[in-house]
Amino acid sequence: MERIGDLLARDLTKNIEEIIKVDQFDEQTVYTEIKEYVATKNIKDHYRFLLRAIAEAPAEQHEDVGIWISGFFGSGKSSFAKNLGYVLSNPMVMGYSYCDLFKAQLNDEMISDLVDSINKRIPTEVIMFDISKASEVRRGDEKIAEVIYRRLLSYLDYAEDYDIAELEIELEGDGRLDHFTALSMEVNGQEWSKARKGARKINYASTILHKMDPKNFPQADSWANSLRGKRPILTVEVVVERAFELMARRKKGRALFFIIDEVGQYVARSVDRIEDLRAVVEQFGKMSKNRLKSGEAIAPIWIAVTSQEKLEEVVAALDSKKVELAKLQDRFKFRVDLAPADIREIASRRVLAKKDEAEPELRSLFDRCQGQLNLACRLERTSRKSEINESDFVQCYPYLPHFIDISIDIMSGIRLQPGADRHLGGSNRTIIKQAHEMLVNERTRLAERPVGSLVTIDRIFDLVEGNLSTEKRNDVSQIASRVDDETGMVLRTTKAVCLLEFIKDLPRTEANIAACLVDEVGSSSPLSAVRDALKLLEDSQFVHSGDEGWK
């Protein structure tokens, strides 16, 4: 095998979905996502933990219905949450039961037993949405209870407009809703399902009511006029009560589970929003316990949310004594944090998995060069592990194992730079996508390079450059155009310094910069060339040395 691409089991022409969206319901996409899903030991532990809690909740009758799922951007938190939702609702996907696909992919007996038990005893409706999307939040001061209620109305096929929905709910309770909707075509010339969505929906409804009940609505605009100057008041208590009531009407005998993606972004630095969230989860918990005790519900209504930050980190960022962490933690007793440690395994299994016949070749390469490789790539003045063993080398190649962690930290650092979008644009926001692009992108094309070539930090720069600030990109561009660089090492060193600035615990020493630029297994560290490059850059006043190294 001569090229890196020859070593890999994956068909590199198959694209990788960079971001999993909880509200992406296309069957083919969902099928591909679950078939390519990689569950590490830790991820399986998290599923067992939550599925057991969900399975036991009807009997335990407690108020703990909040689930907080955290993980940095690209960690797989949305995939985790989406899988949980699909397992609970168990739709058919491309002719298969989703639960059967999930159980086959995870291959875990305890998880399979819990899934089967839940599906048999607790048939569940799942409402999933991404609250960070502008379409979900209509006003800046809209409370999360209102967003949840509107999604519930839509899911149960009520109007999303609160006034119209209230009318439908009242008419349905009186047994007159079918008559009302049947009159829509006669009175307004269109089906009610369409009429209730337009700008004239209030007038249409008012006209129908006049036709139905001229005694109480003597004019066509009587009902419309009665609404003027009024704004529906939706308290948390009303929303929670309605959730149980409307489910009993339209999904009788079924449980309800909310999954709300990117709540961390929605509540970020807002005391009011985090308190609203706490109140919603608290009320759902109290009402669930009461309904279970009275036999009016088969299971609690759960609220699972995702966030890039852990719960305590969100509260710490608020810098307010109004929010008590302990109270918030009481509402989210079930917390799952997807650690960066899992991403290396996921990336290596999804993108960097090797053909069986390739592994002996890589083991032989490592055996011949391990001494020189570890010497050249060793990082100094840091607690980061940079020693490479055979197993990790084979698993992660052409990345060095610690380079995957470095890549993750670089993207996390870029995301936190002043003025940066916390949800970066560009095409290489996740390590899984980046690993794929490293192999096939025309700027890097590592799949076409000879076996022995390595991912270097300047190649990572070539993929993530579009996510850097304009100032940093301009600085690198100026250096490229103004500094004499026959060997290319000046530009490579510049790119390395630029990206290493985003990593807090890795000093930008000459040795560390050189260790990140070793481009071939068995090559020595380019330390001398890096020193020369830094001297040239310093003389040209492009870089200087400080306590944390070059910048």
Side-chain angles (χ1 to χ4, degrees):
M1 296 182 180
E2 298 181 356
R3 302 178 311 120
I4 290 174
D6 298 333
L7 303 171
L8 304 176
R10 183 181 180 88
D11 178 0
L12 296 178
T13 63
K14 289 178 62 178
N15 192 31
I16 286 181
E17 284 292 330
E18 182 179 11
I19 305 171
I20 302 300
K21 302 173 183 176
V22 297
D23 53 357
Q24 167 59 271
F25 302 123
D26 173 70
E27 272 196 56
Q28 183 60 61
T29 301
V30 172
Y31 180 80
T32 300
E33 287 171 358
I34 186 59
K35 293 297 286 184
E36 293 197 354
Y37 189 66
V38 174
T40 64
K41 178 183 180 299
N42 286 336
I43 288 174
K44 289 181 180 181
D45 288 344
H46 290 318
Y47 276 123
R48 291 189 204 101
F49 168 61
L50 289 185
L51 290 170
R52 184 182 295 110
I54 293 166
E56 294 174 352
E60 294 192 350
Q61 299 179 0
H62 52 64
E63 297 181 8
D64 304 326
V65 299
I67 301 170
W68 189 280
I69 302 168
S70 59
F72 67 93
F73 191 81
S75 64
K77 64 183 181 301
S78 294
S79 293
F80 183 93
K82 187 173 184 176
N83 282 335
L84 180 62
Y86 270 86
V87 163
L88 296 174
S89 59
N90 195 23
M92 295 299 293
V93 178
M94 303 298 289
Y96 298 93
S97 154
Y98 191 86
C99 284
D100 287 344
L101 294 172
F102 180 81
K103 291 186 294 184
Q105 196 69 13
L106 269 68
N107 191 27
D108 184 285
E109 185 176 356
M110 181 179 293
I111 289 175
S112 294
D113 289 344
L114 287 167
V115 167
D116 290 340
S117 174
I118 292 169
N119 284 162
K120 182 178 180 180
R121 298 183 298 108
I122 317 171
T124 304
E125 300 292 324
V126 179
I127 300 177
M128 294 190 278
F129 61 96
D130 181 348
I131 200 169
S132 69
K133 291 185 175 180
S135 59
E136 297 295 349
V137 183
R138 294 180 176 177
R139 304 186 320 273
D141 63 343
E142 188 171 45
K143 298 186 181 300
I144 195 168
E146 296 179 65
V147 182
I148 288 173
Y149 186 53
R150 191 168 56 251
R151 291 295 302 189
L152 174 69
L153 292 174
S154 176
Y155 185 84
L156 296 178
D157 196 27
Y158 291 100
E160 292 187 35
D161 178 90
Y162 300 141
D163 289 316
I164 298 292
E166 284 299 301
L167 176 62
E168 291 176 332
I169 292 166
E170 181 181 336
L171 291 171
E172 186 175 52
D174 295 339
R176 297 188 296 158
L177 182 58
D178 289 344
H179 184 204
F180 175 89
T181 57
L183 285 174
S184 182
M185 181 62 73
E186 176 187 338
V187 174
N188 300 312
Q190 54 183 309
E191 296 291 342
W192 175 241
S193 59
K194 181 180 180 182
R196 70 183 183 179
K197 295 178 181 177
R200 301 180 63 190
K201 53 185 173 286
I202 299 295
N203 292 334
Y204 286 149
S206 189
T207 304
I208 298 171
L209 287 171
H210 170 62
K211 176 74 173 178
M212 281 180 65
D213 187 0
K215 181 178 179 181
N216 289 310
F217 303 98
Q219 305 297 326
D221 60 356
S222 295
W223 185 72
N225 289 335
S226 72
L227 299 176
R228 287 179 181 171
K230 297 180 180 179
R231 179 180 172 182
I233 299 175
L234 280 175
T235 64
V236 171
E237 290 77 12
V238 168
V239 169
V240 174
E241 184 73 39
R242 279 289 167 82
F244 282 101
E245 176 190 340
L246 300 183
M247 281 295 294
R249 287 190 187 187
R250 296 204 167 180
K251 299 290 181 181
K252 188 174 179 60
R254 298 184 69 83
L256 179 60
F257 202 106
F258 286 100
I259 294 178
I260 312 174
D261 203 16
E262 300 300 352
V263 159
Q265 181 187 4
Y266 171 78
V267 302
R269 295 177 175 81
S270 171
V271 173
D272 291 339
R273 284 184 169 182
I274 198 71
E275 275 295 287
D276 287 342
L277 176 64
R278 183 201 59 76
V280 167
V281 177
E282 181 178 282
Q283 190 62 27
F284 269 113
K286 289 180 178 178
M287 188 70 71
S288 292
K289 182 178 179 179
N290 292 339
R291 293 266 179 163
L292 280 168
K293 282 188 172 182
S294 65
E296 297 174 88
I298 66 166
I301 293 180
W302 291 85
I303 306 284
V305 306
T306 75
S307 170
Q308 292 183 28
E309 296 83 17
K310 294 180 181 179
L311 184 60
E312 51 268 33
E313 292 170 345
V314 170
V315 174
L318 293 172
D319 192 27
S320 172
K321 295 181 180 179
K322 292 181 181 179
V323 180
E324 295 185 34
L325 179 59
K327 287 186 177 180
L328 201 55
Q329 287 176 327
D330 284 345
R331 301 283 67 85
F332 290 96
K333 284 287 182 66
F334 301 99
R335 294 191 289 277
V336 167
D337 184 57
L338 300 182
D342 291 319
I343 302 304
R344 181 194 299 177
E345 181 180 347
I346 294 170
S348 62
R349 285 169 59 180
R350 279 196 66 185
V351 184
L352 305 176
K354 309 303 186 299
K355 297 174 181 174
D356 290 341
E357 60 269 28
E359 293 191 9
E361 181 174 344
L362 285 173
R363 283 195 288 269
S364 176
L365 175 63
F366 180 80
D367 186 56
R368 296 195 306 271
C369 304
Q370 62 173 310
Q372 181 63 53
L373 181 65
N374 274 300
L375 180 64
C377 300
R378 186 179 69 85
L379 300 175
E380 64 177 18
R381 290 174 51 190
T382 180
S383 60
R384 288 173 175 266
K385 178 186 175 185
S386 59
E387 184 177 354
I388 306 157
N389 60 45
E390 180 186 273
S391 175
D392 288 345
F393 175 79
V394 172
Q395 182 184 57
C396 299
Y397 183 81
Y399 281 81
L400 295 177
H402 56 282
F403 258 57
I404 293 181
D405 298 329
I406 285 174
S407 296
I408 292 170
D409 290 340
I410 286 170
M411 292 314 301
S412 296
I414 291 174
R415 186 171 55 84
L416 295 174
Q417 64 186 326
D421 185 351
R422 300 296 293 275
H423 294 256
L424 287 166
S427 59
N428 301 289
R429 294 173 287 184
T430 69
I431 185 58
I432 294 170
K433 182 68 172 178
Q434 186 197 111
H436 183 259
E437 287 295 306
M438 183 64 69
L439 296 163
V440 303
N441 190 283
E442 60 183 27
R443 296 190 69 180
T444 49
R445 290 183 175 173
L446 226 64
E448 300 176 8
R449 296 190 63 80
V451 173
S453 300
L454 290 169
V455 172
T456 54
I457 198 165
D458 56 309
R459 287 179 171 138
I460 295 172
F461 179 96
D462 291 340
L463 293 180
V464 305
E465 182 178 8
N467 291 321
L468 298 175
S469 67
T470 301
E471 180 183 2
K472 284 190 177 293
R473 294 200 305 268
N474 287 342
D475 288 346
V476 174
S477 179
Q478 281 189 33
I479 292 171
S481 62
R482 291 169 55 183
V483 175
D484 184 23
D485 188 19
E486 291 183 5
T487 65
M489 185 55 76
V490 172
L491 184 58
R492 294 186 68 204
T493 300
T494 300
K495 292 176 178 179
V497 171
C498 177
L499 291 192
L500 288 174
E501 284 188 80
F502 293 110
I503 304 179
K504 293 181 179 179
D505 61 345
L506 183 57
R508 296 173 297 281
T509 65
E510 294 166 350
N512 284 344
I513 293 168
C516 291
L517 293 172
V518 177
D519 58 5
E520 188 172 348
V521 178
S523 293
S524 58
S525 165
L527 181 58
S528 177
V530 166
R531 283 174 174 159
D532 292 342
L534 288 170
K535 180 68 167 60
L536 183 57
L537 288 167
E538 184 179 35
D539 291 345
S540 303
Q541 298 185 338
F542 283 115
V543 301
H544 65 274
S545 182
D547 292 342
E548 294 300 316
W550 293 91
K551 62 181 296 182

